[in-house]
Amino acid sequence: KVMLPNITFLEVSGALGLGTVLLLVYFWRNNRQESQTDSPSEPRTMGARVLIGGGSGFIGTTLRKMLELRGYQVTLISRTPGKDKITWDELKKTGLPECYAVVGMQGANILNIFRRWTEGFKKEVWDSRVETTKTLAQAINESSTPPKVWVSFSGVGYYQPSYVYDYDEDSPGGDFDYISRLATAWEEAAKLPVEKTSTRQVIIRPGVVLGRDGGAIKQMYFSF
């Protein structure tokens, strides 16, 4: 029997995912603002590197393609070496490579229908998000040339499902079940010491991401 976490599909973002849309809006606006002070043909962010943890996943793949279309160089943080990649071990040993932005969306698939919802799997889900985010935050904090922006993902599971309440980023939550506590720990792991960094910190809480090529829809597709 496959056990799934308590997640409501009423908390759904758009086809590309709220997280992806917000990220693209940020990079577009920032690129536009900076290009206004430079030569229109050579904005300062053209060719700048964006480092992505989880860039081979459903949202990460779309984000990577769109950033590359905007002229950014994308480097993935991966468990295995390869072209345009840096491994987690390399990151720990050599530190953060010079980059314009870091995006952390890595984590084991929480809706994996082939995995039982055991204590072992929950630990894997937890560590693949919290511990890797700690590694990224530490690398940014110790970098002599920190990125302009650090974007980390969390999730709407932070909020308790409700048919009545409207939530915003200041609404209470984060301590009513495993998913909400995971979101809290994930966000805490991403925090940089405000007094010691000039890096802008962004945390996104996307909903369930829908799309034909992956995410929840791909797992439910054959049922329909």
Side-chain angles (χ1 to χ4, degrees), residues 110 125-126 129-130 177-187:
I110 205 168
V125 168
W126 188 286
R129 288 163 170 77
V130 177
D177 64 2
Y178 169 83
I179 299 297
S180 63
R181 288 188 286 273
L182 171 60
T184 297
W186 198 355
E187 293 181 11

Side-chain angles (χ1 to χ4, degrees), residues 91-92 95-96 133-144 146-147:
L91 184 66
K92 292 177 182 178
L96 191 76
T133 298
K134 287 180 181 178
T135 298
L136 279 173
Q138 181 177 351
I140 293 171
N141 191 41
E142 295 176 351
S143 175
S144 59

Side-chain angles (χ1 to χ4, degrees), residues 39 58 83 85 99 101 141 156 166 171 196 211 224:
S39 168
F58 178 44
K83 184 177 182 296
K85 290 182 178 180
C99 56
N141 191 41
V156 293
D166 293 326
S171 299
K196 295 182 180 180
F224 300 93

Side-chain angles (χ1 to χ4, degrees), residues 63-196:
L63 176 63
R64 183 180 76 247
K65 291 178 180 178
M66 291 190 175
L67 286 174
E68 289 173 344
L69 285 174
R70 293 289 300 167
Y72 292 92
Q73 295 181 10
V74 177
T75 299
L76 305 184
I77 312 173
S78 174
R79 288 172 292 182
T80 57
K83 184 177 182 296
D84 297 325
K85 290 182 178 180
I86 179 175
T87 66
W88 289 99
D89 288 338
E90 287 176 315
L91 184 66
K92 292 177 182 178
K93 291 178 182 178
T94 63
L96 191 76
E98 186 172 347
C99 56
Y100 175 77
V102 178
V103 181
M105 59 176 72
Q106 66 284 344
N109 183 2
I110 205 168
L111 292 178
N112 188 339
I113 61 175
F114 300 107
R115 298 292 300 274
R116 293 180 181 273
W117 195 244
T118 63
E119 291 302 317
F121 181 59
K122 287 197 289 184
K123 185 178 188 306
E124 179 183 335
V125 168
W126 188 286
D127 290 349
S128 65
R129 288 163 170 77
V130 177
E131 297 306 317
T132 54
T133 298
K134 287 180 181 178
T135 298
L136 279 173
Q138 181 177 351
I140 293 171
N141 191 41
E142 295 176 351
S143 175
S144 59
T145 55
K148 297 287 187 182
V149 61
W150 159 222
V151 181
S152 179
F153 273 45
S154 174
V156 293
Y158 176 88
Y159 308 105
Q160 189 164 8
S162 173
Y163 292 100
V164 179
Y165 296 108
D166 293 326
Y167 295 119
D168 60 27
E169 61 270 23
D170 296 318
S171 299
D175 191 26
F176 65 91
D177 64 2
Y178 169 83
I179 299 297
S180 63
R181 288 188 286 273
L182 171 60
T184 297
W186 198 355
E187 293 181 11
E188 285 296 321
K191 289 184 178 178
L192 304 176
V194 178
E195 67 280 0
K196 295 182 180 180

